[in-house]
Amino acid sequence: MIKLTQVQFQYKNMAMQFDLQVEKGQKVAVIGASGAGKSTLLNLIAGFELAHSGEICLNGELHNRTEPHQRPVSMLFQENNLFPHLSVQQNIALGLKPNLRLSPAEMQQVEQVASAVGLSEFLARKPTELSGGQKQRVALARCLLRDKPILLLDEPFSALDPTLRQEMLALLLQLCEQKALTLLIVTHQPNELMGKIDRVIQIENGMIL
């Protein structure tokens, strides 16, 4: 569950304030013009930006000043942030341990999540050998492996063609249902999500309308 109460943040010349409540397991699209504050909202929830005032409550706990890794949140960016010198398997495994020293049980977890996103045959490949859609699957698998109850996505599939975007969205929503994840997804294509999500919120000039 996500609850923001009078969360204020000064971004350059724009004073932002967010009040938002998302119930556990809900899937919510975030829309608005470029620069309206969509990414800032996600960054405040994830801890990459710190609110100047107000309360950020995640899964019943206050997270105003906690570090990103301490929050019950995973975030998937538009850029997939893969390390080109690491294999698909290693890039996914970073979601569990940055030092990549995994136990046999943890290696099995990596293989299971890779299978869930259709990457079992690509574990030994490097990111340079993958298509755009496959790279985003790797990034999504890494997020899922962290096993956090809240998933934030900042236009993760905008660089993909429409057919591939639909395929990735279907996979994402299926995995959210299976894991009962609470989802916030920033998108410029809200029509593609109609009938598949619980609600849409619009941000304008740093506020939720």
Side-chain angles (χ1 to χ4, degrees):
M1 182 259 244
I2 302 168
K3 186 177 182 181
L4 275 59
T5 306
Q6 295 185 344
V7 170
Q8 297 188 10
F9 181 77
Q10 184 70 35
Y11 180 77
K12 296 182 179 178
N13 295 325
M14 184 189 297
M16 299 183 175
Q17 178 171 314
F18 298 111
D19 287 274
L20 174 66
Q21 184 156 331
V22 180
E23 298 301 324
K24 180 181 178 181
Q26 277 197 332
K27 297 182 284 293
V28 179
V30 182
I31 64 171
S34 295
K38 304 183 300 297
S39 295
T40 301
L41 171 64
L42 266 57
N43 285 332
L44 286 166
I45 295 170
F48 297 118
E49 301 279 9
L50 293 179
H52 298 147
S53 61
E55 290 189 351
I56 297 175
C57 195
L58 306 172
N59 272 26
E61 296 181 344
L62 197 63
H63 281 281
N64 282 16
R65 316 304 294 178
T66 52
E67 296 292 323
H69 72 273
Q70 296 173 313
R71 303 192 183 202
V73 172
S74 288
M75 188 161 172
L76 181 60
F77 301 92
Q78 185 172 352
E79 298 296 327
N80 45 60
N81 294 330
L82 302 185
F83 292 91
H85 64 288
L86 299 179
S87 68
V88 166
Q89 186 178 52
Q90 290 170 319
N91 267 289
I92 295 173
L94 288 171
L96 274 181
K97 288 183 177 175
N99 63 13
L100 296 177
R101 293 174 184 162
L102 271 59
S103 67
E106 289 168 334
M107 286 300 297
Q108 189 174 9
Q109 285 181 265
V110 171
E111 291 168 7
Q112 286 173 343
V113 76
S115 175
V117 298
L119 288 173
S120 295
E121 299 175 14
F122 302 92
L123 288 174
R125 294 193 187 183
K126 298 288 176 61
T128 51
E129 302 174 77
L130 303 178
S131 68
Q134 288 166 340
K135 289 176 184 176
Q136 284 299 69
R137 285 172 184 262
V138 176
L140 178 58
R142 186 167 60 197
C143 280
L144 295 172
L145 192 61
R146 297 186 70 231
D147 203 26
K148 303 288 187 177
I150 297 170
L151 182 58
L152 309 177
L153 295 94
D154 194 354
E155 298 185 61
F157 312 133
S158 59
L160 307 179
D161 65 63
T163 302
L164 194 51
R165 212 161 48 232
Q166 284 294 328
E167 182 182 317
M168 287 299 298
L169 285 171
L171 172 63
L172 169 69
L173 297 173
Q174 176 189 340
L175 293 168
C176 284
E177 288 290 338
Q178 288 175 358
K179 290 178 167 283
L181 301 178
T182 304
L183 173 69
L184 253 65
I185 177 169
V186 171
T187 180
H188 281 296
Q189 289 98 14
N191 292 339
E192 294 181 347
L193 291 167
M194 291 304 150
K196 302 172 184 175
I197 56 170
D198 298 297
R199 54 195 257 244
V200 177
I201 61 171
Q202 183 170 353
I203 296 180
E204 192 173 297
N205 297 321
M207 296 185 72
I208 297 171
L209 297 183

